[in-house]
């Protein structure tokens, strides 16, 4: 029989003392893994001992509530205020590392030449379409000096945020949820317009590779289905279930699932793009760049928001979530870090790539996208880098920033998935249809 004394010893509540430092506790009321009553009991003890504490009891949310962008912003703003209250303001940001270790073989840093707003692709038609879209897009709101300033503004309500209330299923779009798509038991949600030979989009959520969250893309999937795209938002095996490459395998399985059911879905299997943010952007890039094969799951375009692209970067390889995702520390298996890095798989012939990144992103520095853009340029791969000046991780949930990005993303998808563009992609050459692309309005 287990020793009760050991359980008590391992319980933080048993060690609460009036001399303890202030504590911030955040908990969702629908948490069925660690019930909210655990936090309630801890707070009651703080109150009984007249100890300083902050408690955010978030109604209606489960475990890992922070992977939802609106909650993430709320939690980060609260944490920033809590730290400033008890630790003082943060120091000024450190100067960027001039030349961290590289994965590619060239000596020294890759040449990076990025316009203040965009880096254009070498493919003239794509570059022209993107330039027109960028010029016509609503202006991006003025950004912030650092993450703390942005968090304070968001907490003060300076910028309306996207939320579940903004998800509207357009007329004529059928939605089917929790469809199992592979032998690992992973599920996806399907948003299907009443169309034939439509282009397809695969949405891959973020969350540090360790949290589920296919619902994150409900707004985008519904929007694009209303524009004539067949959309799926996928879950994948997290690092709590299996290490790399399981998540990448699952994402490719989702592409295979769509292609195998093209007739049923009204999909053109030769016109599919993958889209993801943060860890999901990383998985989208690996799905598109297909390291180690993947010829049976080709895609014709990829969009990555603030994606980690070089897991051997000195900043990223120290993250616990990266070590957990890869199942090893960098020193134990550097080759695994290389294999899991999209930048290590850049080569001519890759599909057009759209990168979007905030310049004050401290979680995934913008150099991750800048260096990938430089590598793509060197390989002659059509690409476009949109820099969001003064914006941080998860910028796309701010409505005005989203409104700036959407026309640019729309133009990229329309240009990259048009029949002529798809026919130019070697992996899909034999699949290119004769039908005209459905009207995809910005």
């Amino acid at each position: 029989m287990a020793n009760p004394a050991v359980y008590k010893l391992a319980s933080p509540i048993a060690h609460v003392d009036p001399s303890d430092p202030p504590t911030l506790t955040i908990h969702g009321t629908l948490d069925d893994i660690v019930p909210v009553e655990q936090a309630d009991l801890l707070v009651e003890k703080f109150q009984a001992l007249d100890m300083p504490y902050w408690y955010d009891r978030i109604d209606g949310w489960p475990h890992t509530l922070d992977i939802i962008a609106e909650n993430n912003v709320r939690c980060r703003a609260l944490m920033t205020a809590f730290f400033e209250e008890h630790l003082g303001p943060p120091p000024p940001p450190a100067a960027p590392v001039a030349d961290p270790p590289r994965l590619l073989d060239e000596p020294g840093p890759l040449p990076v030449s990025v316009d203040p707003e965009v880096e254009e692709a070498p493919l003239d038609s794509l570059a022209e379409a993107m330039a027109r879209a960028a010029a016509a897009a609503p202006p991006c709101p003025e950004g912030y000096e650092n993450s703390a300033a942005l968090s304070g503004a968001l907490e003060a309500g300076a910028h309306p945020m996207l939320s579940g209330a903004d998800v509207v299923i357009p007329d004529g779009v059928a939605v089917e949820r929790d469809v199992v798509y592979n032998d690992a038991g992973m599920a996806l949600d399907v948003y299907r317009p009443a169309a034939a030979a439509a282009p397809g989009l695969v949405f891959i959520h973020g969350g540090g590779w360790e949290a589920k969250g296919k619902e994150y893309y409900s707004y985008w999937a519904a929007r694009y289905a209303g524009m004539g795209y067949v959309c799926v938002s996928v879950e994948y095996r997290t690092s709590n279930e299996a290490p790399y490459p399981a998540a990448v395998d699952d994402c490719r399985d989702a592409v295979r699932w769509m292609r195998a059911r093209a007739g049923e879905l009204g999909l053109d299997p030769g016109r599919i793009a993958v889209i993801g943010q943060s860890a999901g952007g990383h998985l989208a890039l690996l799905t598109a760049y297909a390291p180690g094969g993947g010829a049976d799951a080709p895609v014709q375009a990829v969009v990555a928001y603030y994606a980690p692209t070089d897991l051997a970067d000195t900043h990223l390889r120290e993250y616990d979530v990266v070590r957990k995702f890869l199942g090893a520390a960098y020193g134990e298996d550097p080759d695994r870090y290389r294999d899991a890095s999209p930048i290590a798989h850049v080569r001519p012939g890759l599909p057009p790539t759209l990168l979007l990144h905030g310049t004050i992103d401290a979680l995934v520095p913008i150099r991750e996208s800048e260096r990938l853009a430089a590598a793509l340029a060197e390989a002659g791969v059509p690409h476009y880098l949109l820099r969001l000046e003064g914006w941080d991780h998860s910028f796309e949930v701010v409505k005005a920033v989203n409104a700036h990005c959407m026309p640019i993303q729309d133009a990229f998808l329309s240009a990259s998935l048009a029949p002529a563009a798809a026919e130019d992609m070697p992996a899909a050459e034999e699949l290119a249809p004769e039908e005209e692309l459905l009207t995809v309005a910005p």
Side-chain angles (χ1 to χ4, degrees), residues 3 51 64 76 81 83 85 100 107 125 138 143 175 183 197 221 267 278 309 317 337 348 363 366 378 385 406:
N3 186 345
M51 295 172 59
T64 64
R76 285 166 53 199
F83 292 144
E85 171 76 18
S125 59
V175 180
D183 292 339
L267 170 74
S278 196
T309 65
R317 71 191 190 197
Y337 280 66
L363 186 62
I366 192 172
E378 191 166 311
L385 171 57
M406 283 299 95

Side-chain angles (χ1 to χ4, degrees), residues 248-394:
V248 181
D249 293 341
D250 290 341
C251 293
R252 291 187 197 160
D253 282 347
V255 176
R256 296 183 185 101
W257 183 91
M258 285 190 80
R259 288 167 58 85
R261 290 158 181 78
E264 172 189 341
L265 297 173
L267 170 74
D268 176 353
R271 290 189 284 151
I272 297 175
V274 285
I275 302 174
Q277 39 75 245
S278 196
H282 165 267
L283 295 175
L285 290 167
L286 285 183
T287 300
Y289 296 176
D296 61 335
V299 299
Q300 286 64 55
V302 56
V303 179
Y305 281 65
Y306 42 86
T309 65
D310 183 350
L311 299 190
D313 184 294
T314 51
H315 182 86
L316 298 181
R317 71 191 190 197
E318 299 303 319
Y319 282 164
D320 288 340
V321 291
V322 173
R323 289 193 289 262
K324 183 178 178 182
F325 171 62
L326 295 177
Y330 176 75
E332 296 170 338
D333 196 349
D335 289 343
R336 191 171 181 81
Y337 280 66
R338 176 184 176 86
D339 186 65
S341 296
I343 199 169
H345 302 283
V346 171
R347 60 195 183 276
L350 291 179
T353 301
L354 173 62
L355 305 171
L356 304 94
H357 217 123
T359 61
I360 63 169
D361 194 327
L363 186 62
V364 180
I366 192 172
R367 66 171 179 258
E368 292 293 308
S369 287
E370 290 174 338
R371 288 177 173 166
L372 180 60
L376 292 170
E378 191 166 311
V381 176
H383 66 282
Y384 202 70
L385 171 57
L386 179 65
R387 296 166 55 95
L388 284 300
E389 296 291 338
W391 289 94
D392 201 354
H393 218 66
S394 302

Side-chain angles (χ1 to χ4, degrees), residues 36-52:
V36 70
E37 288 76 16
Q38 293 279 308
D40 292 341
L41 289 172
L42 185 63
V43 169
E44 287 175 8
K45 191 155 188 178
F46 292 153
Q47 293 171 336
L49 296 174
D50 197 24
M51 295 172 59

Side-chain angles (χ1 to χ4, degrees), residues 397-441:
V397 302
V398 176
K399 287 186 177 182
V401 180
N402 186 72
H404 172 70
C405 296
M406 283 299 95
I408 299 170
Q409 180 168 290
D410 293 346
F412 172 81
L413 293 172
S414 184
S416 301
L417 299 182
E423 288 170 7
D424 289 339
M425 296 299 296
E429 201 168 312
E430 72 281 4
L431 296 170
E434 298 297 327
E435 294 85 355
E436 291 295 322
L437 178 69
L438 294 169
T439 300
V440 181

